[in-house]
Amino acid sequence: MKQIVRLFTLVALLVGVAYGARAEFRWGPTAGATFTTLKFKQDLIKVDNTVGPMAGMQGELMFPGIGFGIDIGAIYNIQGARLHLGDKKIWAVDGYGTERCMLHTLSLPINLRFKWTRMNGIEDMIAPYVFGGPVFDFTIGHNKLDAMSYAGGSVGLQAGLGFELRKRWQIQASHVWGMTYALKAVKLQNFSAREDYWTVRLTYLF
C-alpha cells in the first residue's frame, strides 16, 4: 500500500509540473476487449483463455513539443479463464468439471508514453505512440467458484503501442503481465495464479 501511495504522489507531482509547463490534458471514454488467461505457479490443470469486455475513462497529459507524457485511466474489466478442475481428483470428487473463473475488476493504469509528433504535419492525420507502466487491478466482484479464493486486487506491468487518428481517436493494444497473485486454490495452499492478458481499446479524447 505504501508503494501505491508513493506512486500516486509521484503522478500528482508530474501533473503539477506538467501544468506549470503548459502541458495539454485531454480525457474521454474508452472501450474494448480483454483476452485473458491465468498463469498458475504449477502446471496442474489445463487453462483456457477467455474474452471479456472493458469500458471506462482515460486521460492523457502530454508535454508540448517533446512527445512525452503520461496517461491514466479508470476502466471496468471482466477477466478470467476456464479451468479444467475435473481433470484432477482433488476437485473432481467435489463435483467440479470445466469451470469458468471470472473476475470483475476496476483497472487503474498509469503509463509513461511517447508519441511521434514531429512528422511534418503527418501527425495531424496519424501519430504512432508507445506506452508502459503499472496497472492496479482491484477486484470488485467474481463469479461463484468455491474452489478458489480471490485477492482484493493485483498489480501488473503493461506495455503497448497505438495510433492516434486526427488528434481525437486512439486505437491501441497492450499486454499486461501479472506481478502478484489474483486468486488461489482453497485446497492447495501454494496453487495460486497471476493474471496475464491482452487488451485492445478504442478511445475518443475531447
Side-chain angles (χ1 to χ4, degrees):
M1 181 61 70
K2 290 182 179 179
Q3 292 179 344
I4 295 176
V5 172
R6 289 173 183 171
L7 183 58
F8 276 102
T9 301
L10 176 60
V11 171
L13 290 173
L14 288 173
V15 170
V17 172
Y19 272 113
R22 297 181 180 179
E24 179 184 13
F25 178 75
R26 300 185 297 164
W27 62 277
T30 185
T34 305
F35 304 85
T36 315
T37 189
L38 294 170
K39 299 288 189 180
F40 284 89
K41 280 188 175 181
Q42 297 87 20
D43 187 19
L44 298 182
I45 58 173
K46 182 181 177 182
V47 179
D48 296 332
N49 297 1
T50 61
V51 180
M54 61 188 309
M57 302 299 293
Q58 178 176 307
E60 177 192 84
L61 187 67
M62 299 298 297
F63 294 87
I66 60 175
F68 282 99
I70 61 174
D71 70 68
I72 56 176
I75 303 168
Y76 170 71
N77 206 345
I78 298 180
Q79 302 164 306
R82 284 187 176 88
L83 309 179
H84 292 251
L85 298 178
D87 292 348
K88 297 296 180 180
K89 186 176 180 179
I90 188 173
W91 292 292
V93 295
D94 293 330
Y96 290 109
T98 300
E99 308 290 341
R100 287 174 61 87
C101 180
M102 305 305 294
L103 295 89
H104 300 261
T105 65
L106 177 63
S107 295
L108 303 179
I110 304 174
N111 296 302
L112 297 176
R113 65 165 50 192
F114 175 77
K115 186 187 303 180
W116 280 266
T117 57
R118 295 184 178 181
M119 298 189 296
N120 297 320
I122 298 177
E123 68 273 10
D124 292 338
M125 297 296 294
I126 181 171
Y129 60 90
V130 294
F131 58 93
V135 179
F136 302 95
D137 287 331
F138 296 93
T139 304
I140 57 178
H142 55 80
N143 69 323
K144 183 176 176 58
L145 182 58
D146 294 334
M148 299 290 162
S149 63
Y150 299 85
S154 60
V155 179
L157 290 179
Q158 178 174 231
L161 57 86
F163 295 91
E164 182 175 278
L165 305 175
R166 295 183 177 274
K167 293 189 173 182
R168 292 295 181 185
W169 296 95
Q170 292 187 351
I171 302 172
Q172 68 180 46
S174 66
H175 184 240
V176 177
W177 296 267
M179 296 289 106
T180 62
Y181 86 91
L183 56 90
K184 61 182 178 181
V186 174
K187 285 190 172 182
L188 299 177
Q189 183 177 7
N190 200 36
F191 190 56
S192 61
R194 296 175 287 107
E195 293 175 317
D196 187 275
Y197 57 93
W198 290 87
T199 68
V200 178
R201 284 198 281 132
L202 175 65
T203 305
Y204 180 82
L205 297 178
F206 297 107

